[in-house]
Amino acid sequence: MTANQIRQLTPAQLKFLTGGQVAALNPIQLQSFSTTQLESIPPKALSSGDIRSIQSLSATQVTSLTDEQIQELSKVRKLSVDQIVLFDPEQIVHLSALALASLSVSNLGRLSPSQISSLSQKQVAALSKSQVASLTTSFTSEQISGINPKYVRDWAPSVIAALSPEVI
């Protein structure tokens, strides 16, 4: 299909796309979908797309993904770090704990304080000791309660002192 043909597809038509059909789309074809069209593609079908195609989505397309699409794409680990950092706090909570835990410490450092404070207890609990240590001062009290107690015991006094009063 050409980009022009893709733009003619209605959201009602796109709701019936299969995983095989999405997998057959190349990056240029996937980039041709409007945000409204992209939102209409079933999450499981979208997650069947080639990783190159998924990672070629524009910033506008990425930020328009539905919560369910984010969940599916993160389960199969097809989102790039550059895409993940585009999510707003309401979207980032829909990343799988495994997808978040697979980010390196330096890549976690690319998340904004508001993105970090929106992480669920389950997402924070999946982080490694070094990942937790790199984000300590950004956590909420609810998030800290989900951290492995062994990690907290190893925090230096300076880390504890840097926590806000609300967190303690």
Side-chain angles (χ1 to χ4, degrees):
M1 293 183 81
T2 67
N4 191 40
Q5 290 170 321
I6 288 172
R7 285 191 287 275
Q8 300 309 310
L9 296 171
T10 67
Q13 291 170 313
L14 294 171
K15 288 181 181 183
F16 294 101
L17 276 182
T18 66
Q21 291 169 318
V22 174
L25 296 171
N26 66 41
I28 292 169
Q29 290 171 315
L30 200 56
Q31 291 171 358
S32 299
F33 286 102
S34 71
T35 56
T36 303
Q37 287 175 309
L38 191 63
E39 291 169 4
S40 301
I41 299 173
K44 287 210 182 279
L46 185 60
S47 70
S48 297
D50 177 74
I51 191 166
R52 284 182 325 114
S53 296
I54 299 299
Q55 292 185 356
S56 74
L57 293 172
S58 72
T60 303
Q61 287 175 312
V62 168
T63 57
S64 75
L65 292 171
T66 67
D67 298 345
E68 294 80 14
Q69 288 171 326
I70 292 169
Q71 288 171 343
E72 286 299 320
L73 288 169
S74 70
K75 282 181 195 174
V76 293
R77 298 168 75 184
K78 291 195 176 172
L79 295 166
S80 71
V81 175
D82 290 333
Q83 291 173 315
I84 290 171
V85 298
L86 294 172
F87 291 140
D88 62 36
E90 291 78 28
Q91 290 175 303
I92 208 151
V93 298
H94 298 289
L95 283 175
S96 71
L98 179 63
L100 194 65
S102 70
L103 297 177
S104 68
V105 170
S106 62
N107 285 332
L108 276 173
R110 295 177 58 192
L111 297 177
S112 72
S114 61
Q115 287 172 312
I116 294 166
S117 65
S118 72
L119 297 175
S120 71
Q121 222 176 18
K122 183 178 179 180
Q123 288 170 314
V124 171
L127 298 175
S128 71
K129 184 177 182 177
S130 59
Q131 289 172 314
V132 167
S134 73
L135 302 174
T136 305
T137 58
S138 301
F139 287 138
T140 65
S141 56
E142 182 179 314
Q143 290 169 321
I144 286 181
S145 67
I147 295 173
N148 183 330
K150 293 177 188 174
Y151 298 172
V152 177
R153 272 180 263 174
D154 292 339
W155 287 353
S158 59
V159 171
I160 303 289
L163 296 174
S164 70
E166 300 84 32
V167 170
I168 301 174

